Amino acid sequence: SELLALHVATLLLERVTDDSIEVCVSFMQEVGLAIQELSPAGSQAIFERFKHILHEGVIDKRVQYVIEGLFDVRRKKFADYPAVVPELDLVEEEDQITHEVDLLDETLKGEETLNIFKAQDPEQFAADEAKWKAIVDEILGLSGEEDGSGSSDDSEEEERDQQADQEAAEKILDFTEQDLVNLRRSIYLTIMSSVHFEECVHKILKLNIAEGQEKEVCTMLIDCCAMERMFNRFFALQAERLCRINPAYQERFEEAFNVQFATVHRLETNKLRNIGKFFSHLLMSDGMSWSILAQVRITEETTTSSSRIFIKVIFQELSEQWGIKKLVDRLHEPELQQYFGGLFPKDHIKNVRFAINYFTAIGLGVLTEELRQFMDKAPATKPGEEAMEEEESA
């Protein structure tokens, strides 16, 4: 019934948001021709509402172009959107049963549980499919007419199905990784062509990234951020939003941090600084777990000049954005202490002294108050013992 379609369109246009307008435009493209034929006045009212929305200008520029595209489709008389697709025109009009539904009817049961996927035993699935096929055959009038030729048709259909299954089982391995190259190109073009980080995340999610390929998105975001002359929060905001939407991205970014920290000596100073601020933003926004700092160990033997600069950039950025008090409070949270043992080592007086000197040199000496108290309480070592300890550590 055209009344139901008009009702849906009216509800979508009642509260104007970018999403509701886009959904309504897609809906009107599909049903616009049928509504125009069955209810010209209703169709005119819907398009007048679209005109008012365009004149008000309260929606995003991109959505305005979407509405203009709908008017262009209407101008072409819905040439690309037939009222009924010929392949779906299966039931004769006199055999059709139309159900009138009122969307505002409070007694209407939505059966929302049908939206929840439930695994089914293969035997039960086959039985349900057989029942459904019998219903379809009855509706289409195939049950009584084709009994004679049904067996031969079924055998041919089974042979075709078996052949299709065999073809599907033959997995083609692409050793050239051309699909991966194309995916990376699509991700890069999507990132660099977006104006706002939310728009970019929306486009990335529409790429239908396969499970296990989230790493490519993470790597591309980090590489794009590193190539900038100055740190651009645009990339970090995308990473934060992806981590909040899908936990898989959070895991991939944590793995990426481990890789970057292990190979930080290969980076130029500018790239090192940008990547450090990138991960600092993820820590600051809790887009990523602080457990990534568990592998960081501030000692003379386990750090290089590059890794020390990398950690310095992260903590200085946290201090600037949060303030030193909030940073100190975060580092003293009991549930996170297990991850900070390497940042503030207490296993050897030499490592304690090195960590204190390091954080003091980068202007964050207040973070080492506990280490200073620990060193004051530690038994004093003689110069000869210190020399022996240094030789042993060397």
Side-chain angles (χ1 to χ4, degrees):
S1 173
E2 73 277 8
L3 294 178
L4 180 60
L6 290 171
H7 205 166
V8 171
T10 305
L11 287 175
L12 287 172
L13 296 177
E14 186 176 353
R15 295 181 180 177
V16 177
T17 64
D18 292 345
D19 291 337
S20 68
I21 295 299
E22 286 194 69
V23 172
C24 190
V25 167
S26 300
F27 179 69
M28 288 301 297
Q29 285 176 343
E30 299 297 336
V31 304
L33 181 59
I35 293 179
Q36 199 166 15
E37 293 174 353
L38 298 173
S39 177
S43 175
Q44 184 64 28
I46 296 295
F47 280 95
E48 284 296 327
R49 178 62 178 144
F50 275 122
K51 282 183 182 178
H52 285 303
I53 293 172
L54 273 179
H55 292 159
E56 290 169 1
V58 296
I59 55 175
D60 189 64
K61 209 74 170 174
R62 179 180 59 82
V63 183
Q64 293 181 19
Y65 289 133
V66 171
I67 296 177
E68 291 176 1
L70 175 62
F71 278 99
D72 189 47
V73 171
R74 184 195 187 195
R75 200 174 298 114
K76 296 176 182 177
K77 298 183 179 180
F78 298 93
D80 299 328
Y81 300 93
V84 180
V85 180
E87 290 80 3
L88 297 179
D89 191 11
L90 303 175
V91 183
E92 296 294 335
E93 190 170 353
E94 57 270 12
D95 295 333
Q96 295 178 8
I97 301 174
T98 303
H99 300 272
E100 297 290 344
V101 180
D102 186 0
L103 295 180
L104 300 180
D105 186 2
E106 296 181 356
T107 62
L108 191 67
K109 294 181 180 180
E111 297 190 17
E112 287 78 4
T113 55
L114 295 178
N115 293 328
I116 302 173
F117 173 77
K118 294 181 181 179
Q120 200 174 29
D121 294 333
E123 296 81 7
Q124 182 65 33
F125 175 78
D128 290 345
E129 285 294 303
K131 292 178 183 177
W132 171 246
K133 189 174 186 306
I135 295 173
V136 171
D137 290 344
E138 183 181 353
I139 293 175
L140 299 179
L142 303 176
S143 55
E145 297 176 1
E146 301 180 359
D147 286 343
S149 60
S151 57
S152 61
D153 291 344
D154 289 344
S155 60
E156 291 178 4
E157 187 176 347
E158 288 177 4
E159 289 178 4
R160 285 197 298 270
D161 291 342
Q162 290 177 358
Q163 185 177 358
D165 292 340
Q166 289 177 357
E167 292 176 357
E170 296 176 0
K171 186 177 180 181
I172 300 174
L173 298 177
D174 182 13
F175 290 104
T176 63
E177 295 187 345
Q178 187 60 43
D179 291 341
L180 190 59
V181 172
N182 293 336
L183 175 64
R184 289 172 179 168
R185 184 187 295 114
S186 299
I187 295 171
Y188 175 77
L189 293 175
T190 300
I191 293 172
M192 302 310 292
S193 64
S194 300
V195 178
H196 196 263
F197 77 93
E198 290 183 339
E199 174 194 355
C200 185
V201 171
H202 180 69
K203 289 180 179 178
I204 288 175
L205 294 177
K206 290 181 71 175
L207 289 177
N208 294 324
I209 305 296
E211 185 177 353
Q213 291 184 328
E214 297 90 354
K215 177 183 175 183
E216 303 302 329
V217 179
C218 301
T219 304
M220 189 60 67
L221 278 174
I222 294 172
D223 291 345
C224 290
C225 182
M227 295 302 293
E228 295 290 313
R229 295 180 64 182
M230 295 182 64
F231 173 65
N232 189 344
R233 203 171 297 277
F234 171 73
F235 305 104
L237 288 169
Q238 291 180 53
E240 176 194 348
R241 181 58 61 88
L242 287 171
C243 289
R244 293 184 184 278
I245 292 174
N246 189 348
Y249 283 101
Q250 183 176 346
E251 296 175 5
R252 299 292 89 78
F253 275 115
E254 290 174 1
E255 293 172 3
F257 177 85
N258 296 334
V259 172
Q260 294 294 334
F261 186 71
T263 59
V264 72
H265 56 278
R266 303 177 187 172
L267 298 176
E268 302 171 6
T269 306
N270 187 60
K271 292 183 178 179
L272 186 150
R273 184 176 293 107
N274 286 347
I275 295 175
K277 291 185 177 182
F278 179 91
F279 285 111
S280 175
H281 177 89
L282 288 180
L283 288 173
M284 183 174 57
S285 60
D286 288 326
M288 202 167 58
S289 170
W290 284 67
S291 61
I292 60 171
L293 298 177
Q295 67 158 323
V296 180
R297 183 167 171 77
I298 304 296
T299 66
E300 189 173 0
E301 294 78 15
T302 57
T303 58
T304 63
S305 59
S306 298
S307 63
R308 287 194 284 269
I309 294 173
F310 188 65
I311 298 301
K312 165 190 159 185
V313 170
I314 290 177
F315 276 89
Q316 284 185 341
E317 182 72 8
L318 287 170
S319 176
E320 289 176 12
Q321 299 297 327
W322 265 358
I324 192 66
K325 184 178 183 303
K326 186 173 181 179
L327 178 57
V328 171
D329 292 341
R330 175 56 60 93
L331 293 176
H332 283 84
E333 289 185 7
E335 61 271 16
L336 299 179
Q337 292 307 304
Q338 55 182 322
Y339 307 129
F340 302 149
L343 287 171
F344 308 103
K346 297 180 181 178
D347 57 342
H348 197 288
I349 196 68
K350 176 188 172 185
N351 295 337
V352 174
R353 189 179 294 114
F354 182 86
I356 292 174
N357 293 338
Y358 170 74
F359 281 105
T360 304
I362 66 175
L364 297 174
V366 68
L367 303 180
T368 63
E369 290 298 327
E370 284 191 5
L371 285 183
R372 294 175 190 274
Q373 295 173 9
F374 175 80
M375 194 167 71
D376 291 340
K377 294 177 183 178
T381 56
K382 297 179 182 179
E385 294 177 356
E386 288 186 358
M388 290 176 61
E389 290 171 352
E390 290 179 1
E391 289 177 2
E392 290 175 359
S393 62

